[in-house]
Amino acid sequence: MHRVTSATSYASSSSSHKSRRQRYTREQLLKSLEILGPLSTQIPSELPPSPPDSRSNSPAPGAKRKSDAHIEQSVSKRSRVPDPHRPQSSSHPVAGPSNYAREDGELSEDTPASRRAVDISDVPVRRPRRGAKLPTIFFDELYDKYHGYGRMLKYSGDRRMLSTFHPKNSAYLALPDPPPPQSPYHKYGHLVARLELLDALVDFAYAIWAKDYSRSKCSRGNWSSIEAFLVHCKRKWQVEEGADDREKALSGLIWMIEGFIHGRQINSFARPINSENERVSQMLTSMHREELEREAAAKEAEAATPPMLPSPASIITSNSANSTPTGRLSAAPAVTKNSTEPSSSSALSNTQQAEQQKKQQQQQQQQQQQQQQQPSDPPPPPHITLAMNWGFIAPRKFQSGGIVAASWCMSQSQQTLTLPLMAKHFPRTFQRMIHSTFSAQDEHEPDIEDDDGELFWPGQLVTGQGLGWVCTMGKAMIKEFGQEFDYRGIDGIIPKPDSEGAEGDAVTPAGVPVHASTPVSFQDPLDAPPAAQR
């Protein structure tokens, strides 16, 4: 009896204990959690949230650590049990990737990675747009301005180049006002001279492009005027062994300028050549069609001709050749033949003409249907030819040569001038292009002298466009590279004395002109004949 009573009391006490555990309030649970101590330090706000724990990368926990993890897991499980007397929103949320405390100005984790990676200092300044319709006088002023800048920079570069030779060299020419001995223009005089020549090339190309852009055409005479100066710049910027990658990139810029000039010229030839090719192909096709029609008419004429009637001599047998025919036998066929031949021959000719007309109409209808179904006729055979002269060959020769030259120039340029190289050696220019809002058709928008505005990586030269982007990018590259050497551009040139040359050109001691008034008559002073150099 005592055992039954004790068992009953134990069961009642255990059930009451369970009921008391289930009736724990939230405050009691939070108070009991205080024995776990403070939580670990939070992740710094400038770092992204940590990924989930990986058991393979973490060391094997000890017995005590395992028990703590077990306690935390059990506590967390208990805290997730929904309480009907408690609202759904918790006043103490668990810190996570999306709701951890953020400082002022901190980006949300939901922000795309591309936006988080952009630094405000890398974004170029977005200037007001000029608009698509600009007056022609605006581009004429650009031409006059930068063509004049090109002439001054070209003179200064050649003049400074001569001053960098050893005084005993025959090509040496001292400056009337040399820079201070410790200045970058004195220490890096040869490099500064090359930068001035490249700067002049960019200004010349930009000036001619501005005139072309305002008139929507390609002035091939103006572009051919800087060919000799292009060769001179490539010679001065020839990539040597051990050269700086930045200098190699500037050499690639010269090749890119030349390639885009060829691309603009061949694109201007494309439409007239295409129209003339279409006209010539139509002439050859019509000649071939006429030849086919003549052959078909000849075949029809042969098919419509009746066969020759046998001669009377072939009808008469050899036995009756010497016999005399009777009148009855000879007269009857003759009368019948003479009376029926005219009527039968006229009827036959009328029916044949009607059939021929029907056939011709059917053939014409079939040819029209075939022409409508087939937009282009088959190419004429090789024996169908036309006479041609030099006026027909010259533009095609120029276009094919331009394609080959543009391909060669771009193959040379892409070896030293690419976007990865720009990002590494010209980071500011790269950021101005990569964070730009311009499109390929906005060549007239940027100011070439703007050091903080937006730029654009040049597109495809086969479109005939993009030369303006090449010039603005080249000007930015020159300025960014020249900062190390205190390059000042047009502000640091050697002024041209009025007494030098008939048109203001500098001359060497041998009398060879260094600078010409236009790029057409340019001549390298170091390429003078030996007699003149002596």
Side-chain angles (χ1 to χ4, degrees), residues 329-384:
L329 293 175
S330 60
V335 173
T336 304
K337 180 179 179 181
N338 294 332
S339 61
T340 57
E341 184 176 0
S343 60
S344 63
S345 62
S346 61
L348 181 62
S349 62
N350 292 333
T351 55
Q352 288 178 353
Q353 290 178 0
E355 290 178 355
Q356 289 180 0
Q357 291 178 357
K358 289 181 180 180
K359 288 181 179 179
Q360 290 178 358
Q361 292 178 358
Q362 291 177 358
Q363 289 179 356
Q364 291 178 359
Q365 292 177 358
Q366 291 178 358
Q367 290 178 359
Q368 292 177 359
Q369 292 177 359
Q370 290 177 358
Q371 291 177 0
Q372 293 177 358
Q373 294 176 358
Q374 298 178 359
S376 59
D377 295 330
H383 67 274
I384 304 295

Side-chain angles (χ1 to χ4, degrees), residues 256-277:
M256 180 178 284
I257 292 174
E258 185 178 6
F260 271 79
I261 290 175
H262 287 299
R264 187 168 184 83
Q265 290 178 328
I266 61 178
N267 183 269
S268 66
F269 271 104
R271 289 187 178 181
I273 288 178
N274 184 56
S275 300
E276 193 173 5
N277 289 342

Side-chain angles (χ1 to χ4, degrees), residues 161-173:
M161 186 76 67
L162 296 176
S163 67
T164 59
F165 287 96
H166 193 272
K168 294 183 179 180
N169 194 311
S170 60
Y172 172 75
L173 184 62

Side-chain angles (χ1 to χ4, degrees), residues 38 95 133 182 196 204 228 245-246 260 294 304 329 357 364 366 416 449 452 458 460 500 503 516 520 526:
K133 296 182 180 179
Q182 299 300 325
E196 287 178 337
F204 280 134
D245 288 339
R246 296 176 298 174
F260 271 79
R294 288 194 299 268
L329 293 175
Q357 291 178 357
Q364 291 178 359
Q366 291 178 358
T416 57
E449 299 293 342
D452 300 319
Q460 301 295 325
E500 292 192 2
E503 298 182 359
V520 180
L526 302 182

Side-chain angles (χ1 to χ4, degrees), residues 202-277:
V202 172
D203 287 345
F204 280 134
Y206 188 71
I208 301 175
W209 167 84
K211 180 171 285 189
D212 280 2
Y213 189 86
S214 62
R215 293 162 176 79
S216 300
K217 68 175 185 178
C218 176
S219 55
R220 293 188 291 270
N222 290 339
W223 289 118
S224 62
S225 66
I226 63 174
E227 290 179 356
F229 187 56
L230 267 169
V231 175
H232 178 62
C233 289
K234 286 189 295 185
R235 187 185 299 116
K236 297 304 179 184
W237 281 92
Q238 187 174 2
V239 177
E240 300 177 355
E241 186 178 357
D244 192 339
D245 288 339
R246 296 176 298 174
E247 297 182 27
K248 294 179 181 178
L250 293 175
S251 175
L253 174 65
I254 300 175
W255 286 105
M256 180 178 284
I257 292 174
E258 185 178 6
F260 271 79
I261 290 175
H262 287 299
R264 187 168 184 83
Q265 290 178 328
I266 61 178
N267 183 269
S268 66
F269 271 104
R271 289 187 178 181
I273 288 178
N274 184 56
S275 300
E276 193 173 5
N277 289 342

Side-chain angles (χ1 to χ4, degrees), residues 28-239:
Q28 292 174 347
L29 289 175
L30 292 175
K31 187 175 181 180
S32 62
L33 289 175
E34 293 178 357
I35 63 174
L36 298 177
L39 297 177
S40 59
T41 57
Q42 296 184 357
I43 299 176
S45 58
E46 64 271 8
L47 296 178
S50 301
D53 295 335
S54 176
R55 295 300 301 273
S56 60
N57 296 332
S58 61
K64 184 176 180 181
R65 185 176 179 181
K66 183 176 181 180
S67 63
D68 293 341
H70 178 70
I71 293 173
E72 291 177 1
Q73 183 178 5
S74 63
V75 171
S76 63
K77 286 183 178 179
R78 291 174 187 173
S79 62
R80 292 194 188 99
V81 176
D83 190 356
H85 302 287
R86 183 179 64 182
Q88 295 295 330
S89 61
S90 176
S91 61
H92 299 280
V94 180
S98 60
N99 57 0
Y100 70 94
R102 301 184 183 89
E103 296 181 359
D104 294 339
E106 184 180 0
L107 295 177
S108 173
E109 290 299 325
D110 298 334
T111 306
S114 60
R115 293 182 59 186
R116 290 201 306 267
V118 175
D119 190 0
I120 191 65
S121 61
D122 297 334
V123 178
V125 179
R126 296 181 179 177
R127 308 294 186 187
R129 297 296 181 96
R130 293 175 174 174
K133 296 182 180 179
L134 292 174
T136 306
I137 190 173
F138 172 79
F139 295 99
D140 291 341
E141 291 175 355
L142 286 180
Y143 174 82
D144 296 337
K145 177 181 178 181
Y146 287 100
H147 188 267
Y149 282 177
R151 293 179 59 184
M152 290 187 287
L153 286 165
K154 179 182 173 184
Y155 170 84
S156 180
D158 287 326
R159 188 69 172 81
R160 195 183 306 276
M161 186 76 67
L162 296 176
S163 67
T164 59
F165 287 96
H166 193 272
K168 294 183 179 180
N169 194 311
S170 60
Y172 172 75
L173 184 62
L175 296 176
D177 186 13
Q182 299 300 325
S183 64
Y185 269 66
H186 176 76
K187 292 184 176 181
Y188 306 102
H190 186 264
L191 181 59
V192 171
R194 294 163 63 202
L195 284 174
E196 287 178 337
L197 292 175
L198 179 57
D199 210 349
L201 176 63
V202 172
D203 287 345
F204 280 134
Y206 188 71
I208 301 175
W209 167 84
K211 180 171 285 189
D212 280 2
Y213 189 86
S214 62
R215 293 162 176 79
S216 300
K217 68 175 185 178
C218 176
S219 55
R220 293 188 291 270
N222 290 339
W223 289 118
S224 62
S225 66
I226 63 174
E227 290 179 356
F229 187 56
L230 267 169
V231 175
H232 178 62
C233 289
K234 286 189 295 185
R235 187 185 299 116
K236 297 304 179 184
W237 281 92
Q238 187 174 2
V239 177

